[in-house]
């Protein structure tokens, strides 16, 4: 009787979703490591610019606060709203990418036009485009599921959208983000059921484009060749990578101690952004490296697992969104760590949720919020299915318990 009443009560209340606890723990862990390491790695940079030792930490905390607000809003927003306006969001993404080429609005920094001048701060549109692309492809895979699985032309639209984004990114130029967009698009479409042979044929025209983009500029060609042997020119082209490798090597097993890095003292370029992982390796050693990689592995693993669950129970949009965001975080982390370890050519990609960054931190937090929302809706659907499954058994048990009482009364 108790189980029947409880089930009836749950049914009246409706299924209650829940955010995935392990995913939340991993994300909080990454953000916490980021705050500590930005504080440690940015002191020398801030002092060298006479900005005060904690200038970058204070800005990081401001951007993190904005990111947490964005994440909180995303966690409270039903995914069906994102799905409904996926096409409009993609149009906004194209507008943002084109806006960087508008005089006085777009900004050129370090030879690239990747930022918008918002007067009080700058904004990098590609960070928003990453999330919008995931939402758009997830929406497309839900609406055109059969076409994607069975027809070659079913892949044409998402691949073409990604291709236009890649062209706009290469024009900035931003080769690292362009590669990331291609990889995530192919992975999401494949997880959506597309045949590998279709993806291969569709991707063939992109190969010459990527080759030209990678070798068309002398500085990119140097990056491709330098990472193979950075010690050949350690004071010029190989300077960043040699300093990064020395920092990681000094850390050994447990590190030299928090705040005790030597390479961050104006030796390692971009110590608080692109090469923050090297500072983690130096100050926290292999233990810190394993911790960071483990947290990323936990976050990505839970996201992919729940994404698979979502697809299995019919929550396809939530499942594909979980796939896409998890893959975006994973691939960006792999590239960032690979660059710091000398396994990949130098690219301007930050370590998600850890590196100092304005729009990068805010939009990555928003992306994490959407991922948490996806897990909430998937868990809510699982809860609803469990309640529905238990109802017949609960009713049968209640009827069986009532029959003996009826017999006694008779």
């Amino acid at each position: 009787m108790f189980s029947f009443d409880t089930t009836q009560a749950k049914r009246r209340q409706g299924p209650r979703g829940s955010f995935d606890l392990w995913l939340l723990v991993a994300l909080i862990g990454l953000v916490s490591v980021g705050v500590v390491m930005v504080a440690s790695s940015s002191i020398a940079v801030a002092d060298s610019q006479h900005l005060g030792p904690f200038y970058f930490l204070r800005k990081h905390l401001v951007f993190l606060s904005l990111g947490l607000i964005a994440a909180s809003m995303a966690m409270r927003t039903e995914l069906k709203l994102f799905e409904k306006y996926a096409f409009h969001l993609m149009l906004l993404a194209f507008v943002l990418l084109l806006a960087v080429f508008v005089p006085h609005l777009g900004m050129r920094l370090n030879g690239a036009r990747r930022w918008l001048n918002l007067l009080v701060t700058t904004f990098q549109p590609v960070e928003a485009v990453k999330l919008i692309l995931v939402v758009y492809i997830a929406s497309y895979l839900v609406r055109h599921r059969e076409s994607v699985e069975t027809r070659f032309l079913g892949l044409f639209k998402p691949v073409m959208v990604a291709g236009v984004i890649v062209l706009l990114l290469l024009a900035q130029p931003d080769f690292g983000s362009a590669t990331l967009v291609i990889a995530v698009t192919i992975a999401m479409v494949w997880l959506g059921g597309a045949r590998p042979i279709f993806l291969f044929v569709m991707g063939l025209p992109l190969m010459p484009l990527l080759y030209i983009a990678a070798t068309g500029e002398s500085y990119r060609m140097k990056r491709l060749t330098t990472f193979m042997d950075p010690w050949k020119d350690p004071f010029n082209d190989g300077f960043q990578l040699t300093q990064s490798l020395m920092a990681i090597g000094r850390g050994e097993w447990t590190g030299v101690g928090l705040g005790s890095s030597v390479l961050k003292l104006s030796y390692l370029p971009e110590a608080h952004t692109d090469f923050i992982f090297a500072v983690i390796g130096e100050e926290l050693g292999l233990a810190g490296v394993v911790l960071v990689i483990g947290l990323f592995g936990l976050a990505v693993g839970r996201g992919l697992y729940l994404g698979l669950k979502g697809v299995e129970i019919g929550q396809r949009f939530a499942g594909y969104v979980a796939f896409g965001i998890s893959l975006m975080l994973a691939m960006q982390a792999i590239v960032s760590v690979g660059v710091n370890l000398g396994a990949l050519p130098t690219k301007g990609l930050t370590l998600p949720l850890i590196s100092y960054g304005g729009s990068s931190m805010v939009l990555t937090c928003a992306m994490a919020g959407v991922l948490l929302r996806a897990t909430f809706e998937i868990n809510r659907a699982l809860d609803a299915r469990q309640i529905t499954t238990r109802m017949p058994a609960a009713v049968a048990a209640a009827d069986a318990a009532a029959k003996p009482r009826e017999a006694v009364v008779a």
Side-chain angles (χ1 to χ4, degrees):
M1 193 63 136
F2 174 74
S3 62
F4 174 71
D5 290 343
T6 303
T7 306
Q8 285 279 49
K10 285 184 178 180
R11 193 175 187 184
R12 286 194 296 269
Q13 293 172 359
R16 298 187 181 188
S18 60
F19 299 109
D20 186 72
L21 178 60
W22 287 110
L23 174 61
L24 189 59
V25 167
L27 294 173
I28 292 174
L30 289 169
V31 169
S32 301
V33 171
V35 170
V36 173
M37 295 313 302
V38 166
S40 175
S41 61
S42 65
I43 291 176
V45 181
D47 270 346
S48 67
Q49 299 177 18
H50 308 290
L51 298 172
F54 298 110
Y55 172 80
F56 289 107
L57 175 62
R58 286 194 294 269
K59 290 191 68 175
H60 183 76
L61 291 174
V62 169
F63 289 125
L64 178 58
S65 299
L66 294 174
L68 292 177
I69 293 172
S72 177
M73 293 173 62
M75 291 166 68
R76 295 172 179 269
T77 304
E78 290 282 342
L79 288 183
K80 63 183 179 182
L81 191 64
F82 290 100
E83 185 176 8
K84 180 180 179 181
Y85 293 105
F87 178 75
H88 302 84
L89 288 171
M90 183 50 65
L91 291 179
L92 175 62
F94 288 134
V95 171
L96 289 173
L97 289 175
L98 289 169
V100 299
F101 301 105
V102 177
H104 306 298
L105 179 58
M107 294 178 60
R108 180 180 289 275
L109 295 174
N110 299 324
R113 301 187 69 92
R114 305 177 188 173
W115 294 267
L116 296 178
N117 183 7
L118 302 182
L119 298 181
V120 294
T121 186
T122 59
F123 175 71
Q124 193 171 4
V126 70
E127 300 299 337
V129 171
K130 292 174 186 176
L131 176 57
I132 292 173
L133 178 67
V134 168
V135 170
Y136 175 78
I137 294 178
S139 172
Y140 183 88
L141 291 175
V142 171
R143 290 182 285 111
H144 302 278
R145 175 187 170 190
E146 184 178 351
S147 178
V148 169
E149 292 178 351
T150 60
R151 298 175 57 197
F152 176 77
L153 292 179
L155 306 179
F156 185 76
K157 192 172 182 179
V159 172
M160 282 303 298
V161 167
V164 173
I165 291 175
V166 167
L167 288 175
L168 291 172
L169 289 173
L170 292 177
Q172 294 181 2
D174 188 353
F175 187 75
S177 295
T179 305
L180 192 66
V181 164
I182 293 172
V184 171
T185 300
I186 291 174
M188 284 190 69
V189 173
W190 176 67
L191 289 170
R195 297 180 183 178
I197 186 62
F198 290 170
L199 289 172
F200 177 76
V201 174
M202 190 74 74
L204 278 178
L206 292 176
M207 299 302 176
L209 178 64
L210 289 176
Y211 177 79
I212 293 171
T215 60
E217 296 288 343
S218 59
Y219 76 93
R220 288 192 198 134
M221 195 63 194
K222 285 182 179 178
R223 286 180 177 179
L224 289 172
T225 55
T226 300
F227 92 99
M228 299 179 184
D229 186 10
W231 302 102
K232 185 177 180 180
D233 190 7
F235 299 107
N236 191 12
D237 293 333
F239 183 75
Q240 282 183 312
L241 183 51
T242 54
Q243 300 302 308
S244 177
L245 294 174
M246 283 192 287
I248 294 172
R250 287 190 75 242
E252 298 184 352
W253 293 98
T254 57
V256 298
L258 187 62
S260 300
S261 168
V262 172
L263 275 299
K264 71 182 180 183
L265 303 177
S266 301
Y267 295 102
L268 180 63
E270 310 294 342
H272 60 310
T273 54
D274 297 353
F275 284 90
I276 196 169
F277 187 78
V279 180
I280 293 173
E282 184 179 6
E283 294 191 348
L284 304 181
L286 181 63
V289 167
V290 170
L291 172 64
V292 169
I293 293 176
L295 288 172
F296 274 114
L298 177 59
V300 171
R302 291 301 298 176
L304 293 175
Y305 170 76
L306 287 167
L308 181 61
K309 283 289 183 183
V311 172
E312 287 178 351
I313 64 173
Q315 292 290 313
R316 293 189 170 274
F317 182 72
Y320 293 140
V321 166
F323 280 149
I325 294 178
S326 299
L327 290 168
M328 192 71 75
L329 290 174
M331 292 182 183
Q332 186 165 336
I334 288 170
V335 171
S336 181
V337 171
V339 166
N340 279 250
L341 294 175
L344 293 172
T346 303
K347 289 289 155 207
L349 290 176
T350 57
L351 192 58
L353 299 175
I354 293 181
S355 294
Y356 168 84
S359 50
S360 172
M361 176 56 69
V362 174
L363 270 302
T364 304
C365 286
M367 196 180 296
V370 175
L371 176 58
L372 285 166
R373 180 68 203 187
T375 67
F376 177 89
E377 296 192 9
I378 291 167
N379 284 330
R380 184 174 63 187
L382 287 169
D383 190 21
R385 170 176 283 197
Q386 289 176 355
I387 292 174
T388 304
T389 304
R390 289 172 182 171
M391 274 302 298
V395 172
D399 290 342
K403 286 181 180 178
R405 288 198 296 272
E406 292 172 359
V408 171
V409 172

